[in-house]
Amino acid sequence: MPCPRPRAAGLALALSALSVSAAAEPIEPRVAVATSDTLQGRCDAIDLAPPWTVLQNLEPLGVRSRLRYFYDRLYAINPSQDDIQVIDPATFGTLRTLRLDPGSSPEDILVVSPRRAYVTLYNATAVAILDPTNGAPRGSIDLSGFADGDGLPEMSMMARDGDRLFIQIQRIDRGLTGAPVRPSWLAVVDLPTETLLDVDPDQPGVQGVLLTGTAPSFRMHVDTRARRLFVSAPGSRLDTSGGIEEIDLDALQSRGFILSEETAGADLGGFVMVSPDAGYVVAHTDIVASSHLSSFTRAQGQGPQILMDFGAIDTLALDAAGAQLFFPDPFSLPYGVHVIDTVSDQVLTKTPLATGLPPWDLAVVRRTTPGEPRDLRVEGIDPAGGALALTYRPACGASDHNLVFGPLQDVGTYAYTGQVCGVGSSGRVDAFDPGAGSFFFLLVGTGDAGDEGSYGADGDGVERPENLVDQ
């Protein structure tokens, strides 16, 4: 089980992180680019700093691969080959290939720890669970209850908020219309138990988050501080029924569109958020097949067009630390990748940064070490079971946090015996139970790629050792 929650509690000592973590294996900050024609794919890389040097044809990939980055590994999802390549971003060499069932068509991968990952399969009814270090199967999560009449739920992209996994359920009618069948949902998985959460117990069956739009697609965005998830639900092509939808992560309910297709007057596709109220979106029109990139805000809607490309492309990659947005152009000559300044909305590249083959997907490869959580406090104890209620100030740059713990008598040597991963970034942990007995524990921030921040310093100013239990 990935980071299971323990059951009981005794005396506990909270420790605060006080210093920056030690340097890790160097990985150059780059944008990985999945390039492809109709016969082959390649992995390119672009330096994040100007002049954005491009390294071409670094590693063979499948046709139109999708890229993800977790725990210092780059994952290339190859739907046409029913496999996922695990790539070392320091060398861009393939370390191993994770094989899926023939014809299953992997859509996405989300790695929650170095030894556990979830894979959505478009042509299957269950999410695959596997060990990304060797591809060994570790179970599955049945989503057949969300299927439409053709028996398939059409599961697509995933996002994580602490110990909850959100999965897009498209429900596409493969028999007659090819259109989405209402309603569409986000299935919600409780990661400690790897079971579906019933969002609406008053309704029969297990319910997900009911969406206003249909056919949820493309990458989602989780804002842990604002407690919001954003998802593109475009519906059928050019029906203007969809938009960028906002989900309340605590209530597990949709709050409707923050930008609708009806208001925009076009189909809305891929997007990124730069704040809870603003982002960038790709729109498509029916005059001619084209993709139009623009900024938008919740209050004012779409801004002026920044870039236009002939053809349909819905990939965006945000380098928040560098205030840069990367937008691929696989249709123009020369094809390549544009860079936009997210402060001024200015295009920084006069011509696209040339790639070896047409670019289709992007992933920012940057090790971002979170800062340190502050003010970790025990606010209450459950008199029945002994569970602790904790509060804290989230670490700067952390998308999540882990709790690590060990016996109190071993605090001098930091003999950790366990951890609770993915407690979120809300500033509160409602129930923490390290087990029967007396324990020390500390909170550690984690970045988007899963890398941990500081474990803090002891009384002599020496960095505490990292936890190696349950890795």
Side-chain angles (χ1 to χ4, degrees):
M1 297 293 292
C3 307
R5 292 185 184 275
R7 300 298 179 193
L11 176 65
L13 171 66
L15 304 177
S16 296
L18 298 175
S19 69
V20 178
S21 60
E25 179 184 352
I27 294 176
E28 294 297 326
R30 293 190 171 109
V31 177
V33 185
T35 68
S36 175
D37 57 21
T38 58
L39 300 176
Q40 61 182 331
R42 294 284 187 272
C43 185
D44 289 7
I46 301 173
D47 289 347
L48 284 179
W52 306 288
T53 301
V54 181
L55 304 176
Q56 296 184 357
N57 303 323
L58 296 174
E59 183 71 358
L61 302 177
V63 174
R64 295 200 182 183
S65 298
R66 302 187 188 100
L67 298 177
R68 303 290 185 265
Y69 177 62
F70 301 100
Y71 292 97
D72 296 339
R73 291 292 179 260
L74 184 67
Y75 294 83
I77 306 155
N78 301 313
S80 63
Q81 300 175 181
D82 296 315
D83 64 32
I84 300 173
Q85 292 170 244
V86 185
I87 295 171
D88 182 351
T91 64
F92 286 92
T94 297
L95 300 173
R96 68 193 68 89
T97 300
L98 311 176
R99 309 288 182 185
L100 286 309
D101 288 343
S104 59
S105 187
E107 280 280 290
D108 197 11
I109 185 170
L110 196 145
V111 183
V112 297
S113 78
R115 300 298 299 270
R116 207 161 194 90
Y118 300 86
V119 179
T120 48
L121 305 169
Y122 203 70
N123 294 334
T125 58
V127 177
I129 309 171
L130 52 81
D131 184 337
T133 66
N134 55 25
R138 293 290 181 260
S140 62
I141 302 169
D142 183 18
L143 300 182
S144 60
F146 294 107
D148 60 290
D150 60 21
L152 293 171
E154 282 84 26
M155 64 186 88
S156 190
M157 302 296 114
M158 294 180 285
R160 179 188 179 191
D161 172 48
D163 58 8
R164 288 173 174 172
L165 178 67
F166 294 83
I167 306 169
Q168 295 174 353
I169 304 296
Q170 294 184 338
R171 290 169 48 87
I172 304 299
D173 179 4
R174 300 193 185 192
L176 297 174
T177 66
V181 178
R182 286 188 179 274
S184 291
W185 289 289
L186 295 182
V188 186
V189 175
D190 176 68
L191 288 175
T193 62
E194 292 182 329
T195 58
L196 287 169
L197 287 178
D198 189 358
V199 172
D200 188 358
D202 293 334
Q203 297 295 321
V206 176
Q207 303 297 311
V209 177
L210 180 65
L211 297 179
T212 302
T214 58
S217 306
F218 317 116
R219 287 179 175 134
M220 295 183 281
H221 177 87
V222 172
D223 190 321
T224 55
R225 290 180 180 270
R227 306 301 301 143
R228 294 291 184 266
L229 178 148
F230 299 91
V231 56
S232 179
S236 297
R237 183 176 182 272
L238 302 176
D239 69 354
T240 65
S241 67
I244 308 301
E245 195 161 343
E246 178 182 33
I247 308 300
D248 186 319
L249 286 171
D250 295 320
L252 295 179
Q253 292 179 345
S254 172
R255 294 172 60 92
F257 297 130
I258 64 168
L259 180 67
S260 71
E261 292 180 341
E262 184 177 12
T263 300
D267 267 3
L268 299 179
F271 74 101
V272 297
M273 302 296 293
V274 295
S275 78
D277 300 307
Y280 293 84
V281 65
V282 181
H284 307 285
T285 64
D286 60 353
I287 299 173
V288 64
S290 57
S291 301
H292 306 259
L293 174 67
S294 65
S295 61
F296 73 91
T297 66
R298 184 191 299 265
Q300 299 179 346
Q302 276 184 287
Q305 177 177 290
I306 298 172
L307 283 169
M308 190 271 282
D309 190 13
F310 290 104
I313 185 72
D314 282 289
T315 298
L316 296 170
L318 177 67
D319 173 31
Q324 300 178 114
L325 180 68
F326 292 82
F327 180 51
D329 180 354
F331 303 107
S332 302
L333 289 176
Y335 38 71
V337 177
H338 297 281
V339 185
I340 296 96
D341 184 324
T342 59
V343 176
S344 65
D345 286 352
Q346 296 299 306
V347 180
L348 301 176
T349 45
K350 293 182 179 179
T351 58
L353 303 169
T355 53
L357 293 171
W360 289 100
D361 201 23
L362 311 169
V364 173
V365 176
R366 179 199 284 276
R367 169 171 287 187
T368 303
T369 302
E372 44 187 270
R374 301 279 189 175
D375 302 331
L376 177 60
R377 301 176 186 274
V378 177
E379 296 291 342
I381 301 176
D382 179 3
L388 305 179
L390 310 177
T391 60
Y392 61 92
R393 289 172 54 195
C396 182
S399 58
D400 211 334
H401 294 77
N402 299 336
L403 276 162
V404 297
F405 58 89
L408 186 60
Q409 67 266 23
D410 296 328
V411 65
T413 58
Y414 302 106
Y416 308 112
T417 57
Q419 65 180 343
V420 180
C421 293
V423 299
S425 293
S426 66
R428 183 174 182 83
V429 179
D430 291 328
F432 168 55
D433 281 351
S438 299
F439 291 86
F440 73 90
F441 62 93
L442 60 91
L443 190 69
V444 184
T446 61
D448 289 335
D451 45 305
E452 290 185 321
S454 174
Y455 275 69
D458 61 19
D460 297 323
V462 178
E463 180 79 12
R464 295 183 184 120
E466 66 177 314
N467 173 44
L468 299 178
V469 177
D470 292 337
Q471 296 296 311

